[in-house]
């Protein structure tokens, strides 16, 4: 029929939009069925909506890929603690009904192998807002069908979220992120004049008077701390050039 609209068209595909409250972060209490310990955390989402991540009292950061989220529930649909002691710990303060402040995030690689992230907010409105926002981000069609450039930005975002207190990216995180081809990672890092294990060996050999492969660049010390193997979050565009061609 002339003038008919397809079932899904461009106007229905809304771009990913992360609210200010999610980017700023909110205090929650994290709990697990297998333990009677509750952990106060600050939960945030990166501006691109790739991950939401939390920081505990020890300043340790964990993150969850939003593409793995299958469902987000709050209120009576959320998972409730069975242990009375755990329930008592979560209900400290008595700010509103506990059942209305609970959030359960269901995530996993498929609908069979799933895990649960259990949270308790301090206000009922916060629990509802986070549940709706997380579910909206996880089910966004454009986020589920990203371009190659967006996947590269997502990889870089993951590295930036897992920095040290000094704001540096551990070299081991880069190897873990691209674990399928370690040799290609080393080659790309060398091409960007960034540290790699091969460059470190060459540096050690140069100090001992031996000849071992390619010598490190003169500005090597600006990007690398040998003892901690830390990498500054710089040279993103060069990093993308090395990984942006072919499959990674």
């Amino acid at each position: 029929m002339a003038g008919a609209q397809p079932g899904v068209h461009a106007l229905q595909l809304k771009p990913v939009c992360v609210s200010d409250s999610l980017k700023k972060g909110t205090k929650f209490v994290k709990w697990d069925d297998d333990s009677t310990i509750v952990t106060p955390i600050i939960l945030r989402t990166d501006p691109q909506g790739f991950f939401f991540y939390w920081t505990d009292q020890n300043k340790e950061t964990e993150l969850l890929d939003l593409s793995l989220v299958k469902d987000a529930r709050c209120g009576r649909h959320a998972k409730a603690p069975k242990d009375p002691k755990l329930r008592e710990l979560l209900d400290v303060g008595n700010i509103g009904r506990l059942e209305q402040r609970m959030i359960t995030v269901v995530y996993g690689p498929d609908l069979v192998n799933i895990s649960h992230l259990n949270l308790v907010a301090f206000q009922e409105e916060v629990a509802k807002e986070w549940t709706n926002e997380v579910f909206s981000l996880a089910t966004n069609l454009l986020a589920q069908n990203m371009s190659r450039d967006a996947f590269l930005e997502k990889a870089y975002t993951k590295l930036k979220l897992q920095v040290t207190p000094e704001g540096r990216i551990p070299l081991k995180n880069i190897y873990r992120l691209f674990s399928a081809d370690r040799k290609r990672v080393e080659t790309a890092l060398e091409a960007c004049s960034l540290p790699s294990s091969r460059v470190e060996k060459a540096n050690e050999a140069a100090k001992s008077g031996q000849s071992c492969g390619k010598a490190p660049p003169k500005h090597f010390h600006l990007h690398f701390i040998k003892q901690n193997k830390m990498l500054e979050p710089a040279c993103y565009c060069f990093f993308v050039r090395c990984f942006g061609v072919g499959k990674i």
Side-chain angles (χ1 to χ4, degrees):
M1 181 184 295
Q5 292 287 342
V8 177
H9 53 86
L11 294 178
Q12 292 178 326
L13 299 178
K14 297 181 180 180
V16 176
C17 181
V18 182
S19 64
D20 292 336
S21 57
L22 268 67
K23 289 186 285 187
K24 184 178 179 181
T26 307
K27 293 181 180 179
F28 286 90
V29 176
K30 180 174 170 289
W31 63 276
D32 196 332
D33 269 338
D34 300 330
S35 174
T36 56
I37 299 175
V38 298
T39 307
I41 63 172
I42 298 178
L43 190 64
R44 297 183 178 91
T45 305
D46 67 278
Q48 291 78 22
F50 295 136
F51 306 94
F52 65 87
Y53 58 100
W54 56 94
T55 307
D56 58 19
Q57 293 175 318
N58 298 323
K59 304 298 181 182
E60 295 183 0
T61 300
E62 297 182 59
L63 56 85
L64 176 61
D65 191 336
L66 279 167
S67 66
L68 298 178
V69 173
K70 307 303 180 188
D71 195 11
R73 311 163 183 168
C74 71
R76 61 188 182 89
H77 302 289
K79 200 172 183 180
K82 298 178 182 179
D83 192 334
K85 293 182 179 180
L86 180 58
R87 185 181 179 87
E88 184 178 349
L89 287 173
L90 293 172
D91 204 15
V92 172
N94 297 319
I95 307 174
R97 297 195 315 178
L98 177 63
E99 288 77 9
Q100 299 301 320
R101 295 186 284 115
M102 305 188 77
I103 301 175
T104 297
V105 178
V106 184
Y107 65 95
D110 50 53
L111 294 175
V112 177
N113 302 296
I114 58 173
S115 302
H116 298 87
L117 176 64
N118 303 310
L119 305 166
V120 176
F122 289 92
Q123 291 90 24
E124 295 181 11
E125 295 76 14
V126 173
K128 293 178 182 179
E129 179 187 9
W130 271 84
T131 301
N132 294 334
E133 290 284 347
V134 168
F135 186 78
S136 176
L137 292 172
T139 56
N140 186 284
L141 291 178
L142 291 179
Q144 294 176 357
N145 298 273
M146 296 190 301
S147 65
R148 185 181 64 179
D149 290 343
F151 274 107
L152 287 170
E153 185 179 3
K154 181 177 180 178
Y156 185 63
T157 300
K158 185 175 183 179
L159 291 175
K160 290 196 299 181
L161 292 177
Q162 296 177 311
V163 297
T164 65
E166 294 80 17
R168 295 174 178 269
I169 299 174
L171 189 59
K172 63 180 180 180
N173 287 357
I174 296 180
Y175 288 119
R176 187 182 298 127
L177 185 63
F178 303 102
S179 57
D181 195 343
R182 183 184 177 94
K183 186 176 180 180
R184 185 173 183 181
V185 175
E186 291 179 344
T187 302
L189 290 172
E190 288 182 22
C192 298
S193 298
L194 294 174
S196 68
S197 60
R198 290 192 299 202
V199 173
E200 183 185 12
K201 291 177 182 177
N203 191 34
E204 292 176 352
K207 287 183 178 180
S208 62
Q210 301 175 1
S211 176
C212 178
K214 182 181 177 182
K218 293 181 180 179
H219 58 281
F220 182 74
H221 65 282
L222 296 177
H223 300 277
F224 188 65
I225 300 178
K226 180 180 174 182
Q227 290 81 0
N228 297 323
K229 295 184 180 179
M230 300 300 176
L231 177 68
E232 290 183 352
C235 301
Y236 168 58
C237 58
F238 299 104
F239 195 75
V240 169
R241 276 183 199 170
C242 293
F243 286 101
V245 179
K247 186 177 180 181
I248 61 173

